[in-house]
Amino acid sequence: MRILVLGGTMFLSRAVAADAVARGHDVTCAARGESGTVPDGAHFVHLDRTAPDWTALEGEWDAVVDVARTPSWVAAALDHLAEAHWTFVSTISVYADHSTPGGTPETLPLLPPITEDVEQDSAEAYGSSKVACEQDVQARAREAFIVRPGLIIGPEDPSGRFSYWPERLAEGGEVLAPESPDRDTQAIDVRDLAAWIVTGAENRLTGVYDATGRVQRLGDLVDEVSKAVGGDATVIWAPADFLLEREVTYWAGPRALPLWLPDDARGMTSHDVSAAFDAGLTTRPVGETAADTLAWLRENPDAPRTGLSRAEEQDLLDDWYTVNG
Ligand SMILES: NC(=O)c1ccc[n+]([C@@H]2O[C@H](COP(=O)([O-])OP(=O)(O)OC[C@H]3O[C@@H](n4cnc5c(N)ncnc54)[C@H](OP(=O)(O)O)[C@@H]3O)[C@@H](O)[C@H]2O)c1
């Protein structure tokens, strides 16, 4: 197949291109080339979507994969490429309800679309822009495959969220963890998601899917990651009020315990993804993702990281013992 990846120079879109090349497809990646390089074996075409020149991309494509979040970028791509099988990589941030567990595209309400291009410094603006992009793809592409990932993890992750855990657990010792091992978590290895996107293009899959891994207890994820990275961690689960009083934050960023979510976001990590699995998605154990992520972090010491510093964590553990004796 002739596959055009709009992107292809980083993380997911790069993994899609790499997977498609490995399967013998003829792969072109169109981007500025600022985020990185395309995988070996893929062709690179310069495209700046803020002022796109589509001349070099005219022609017949069997499949297009787009990861954009800006409605005018997607609209312009559709003007030129709507005849191909279209995978639009969206997000579970399109939903207006993040509190109901077990949601699916059929059961969860969407945010209202924002069709104009906006600065996306909020989750709502991001989600609403993606809704508008999805709707354009569904209206105009001959075959639309809408993929809504949850947290994407693995080597080359630019967010550093999951990466915190393999790196921290590999160091061992007493490791501070958020709230309870019984909380749900849910994530997908970037290579598994990429493989399913390529399979979807090969099979001309259409429809709307939440695309993340199966729900897992946070405690099981921590145990599995710890074993896979060879750490001898003793995990201290600190309750939410202890953490919040000390300004530890949810999910990502400075002073965060990555992957921790508030109660009213429980739905984000408990989607029912059986439809994606029924349609061919397969996922590897999180321990494998952890080991590969750690290897990548060690080869790339400047890779993005997020979350508590070791000094902050130690202060919190000291406090924990002061409070709990
Ligand atoms: N990470 C997560 O946990 C998560 C969760 C849910 C959904 N998602 C979705 O998953 C997808 C991730 O895609 P990704 O990893 O490939 O990262 P991305 O940041 O969405 O896209 C990056 C690609 O876009 C290209 N790009 C950026 N600006 C451009 C411009 N002006 N003109 C042309 N190309 C441009 C970049 O290439 P150059 O910079 O080289 O031009 C790069 O190849 C996104 O759709 C995201 O919304 C992610």
Side-chain angles (χ1 to χ4, degrees):
M1 286 201 307
R2 286 192 77 211
I3 302 184
L4 174 60
V5 178
L6 297 172
T9 57
M10 66 178 278
F11 201 40
L12 177 63
S13 53
R14 190 170 195 280
V16 169
D19 190 278
V21 168
R23 295 191 200 191
H25 296 302
D26 180 358
V27 181
T28 297
C29 300
R32 296 165 306 173
E34 290 186 9
S35 300
T37 57
V38 303
D40 287 345
H43 313 288
F44 174 73
V45 170
H46 183 271
L47 178 74
D48 183 347
R49 296 179 79 177
T50 62
D53 175 359
W54 294 94
T55 318
L57 297 169
E58 299 295 351
E60 305 236 322
W61 299 98
D62 298 301
V64 169
V65 178
D66 193 5
V67 294
R69 58 194 68 190
T70 307
S72 72
W73 294 12
V74 175
L78 285 162
D79 289 343
H80 294 267
L81 305 164
E83 290 304 304
H85 176 274
W86 255 80
T87 302
F88 180 68
V89 181
S90 186
T91 169
I92 57 165
S93 297
V94 293
Y95 296 116
D97 174 357
H98 293 300
S99 61
T100 307
T104 68
E106 288 71 40
T107 64
L108 294 171
L110 291 177
L111 290 169
I114 298 180
T115 52
E116 65 274 19
D117 298 352
V118 289
E119 288 296 321
Q120 294 170 1
D121 48 10
S122 76
E124 285 74 21
Y126 168 55
S128 284
S129 299
K130 284 283 203 183
V131 172
C133 296
E134 285 188 2
Q135 291 179 348
D136 204 6
V137 172
Q138 285 170 304
R140 295 167 65 200
R142 200 139 68 111
E143 295 167 309
F145 177 35
I146 308 292
V147 174
R148 295 178 179 158
L151 178 67
I152 307 172
I153 64 177
E156 300 182 23
D157 181 356
S159 81
R161 291 171 290 202
F162 173 76
S163 310
Y164 177 89
W165 291 104
E167 191 163 59
R168 179 64 195 89
L169 289 161
E171 281 179 28
E174 291 188 327
V175 175
L176 189 71
E179 236 180 300
S180 160
D182 293 324
R183 297 300 289 247
D184 284 339
T185 190
Q186 198 169 28
I188 188 161
D189 187 295
V190 62
R191 298 160 294 183
D192 296 334
L193 180 57
W196 188 57
I197 287 170
V198 177
T199 300
E202 288 174 343
N203 296 337
R204 308 195 86 83
L205 197 58
T206 58
V208 182
Y209 293 85
D210 291 343
T212 183
R214 298 209 191 265
V215 181
Q216 188 174 31
R217 285 173 73 249
L218 187 56
D220 291 341
L221 176 136
V222 166
D223 286 350
E224 226 184 293
V225 170
S226 186
K227 280 195 194 88
V229 298
D232 62 345
T234 304
V235 183
I236 312 282
W237 296 92
D241 52 1
F242 173 89
L243 297 171
L244 294 171
E245 277 161 20
R246 289 159 184 80
E247 296 177 342
V248 178
T249 60
Y250 294 107
W251 194 241
R255 218 175 157 74
L257 269 174
L259 312 196
W260 181 34
L261 282 170
D263 278 344
D264 61 4
R266 282 191 61 205
M268 290 197 88
T269 46
S270 54
H271 283 256
D272 174 355
V273 287
S274 45
F277 282 86
D278 290 346
L281 175 66
T282 58
T283 52
R284 71 196 69 206
V286 74
E288 189 180 323
T289 306
D292 294 346
T293 303
L294 184 62
W296 169 72
L297 288 167
R298 286 180 172 161
E299 281 165 24
N300 296 276
D302 297 331
R305 284 156 166 80
T306 193
L308 290 177
S309 69
R310 297 299 171 270
E312 287 168 338
E313 186 199 34
Q314 191 54 58
D315 284 349
L316 289 159
L317 286 167
D318 291 346
D319 241 12
W320 171 256
Y321 280 112
T322 308
V323 173
N324 292 283

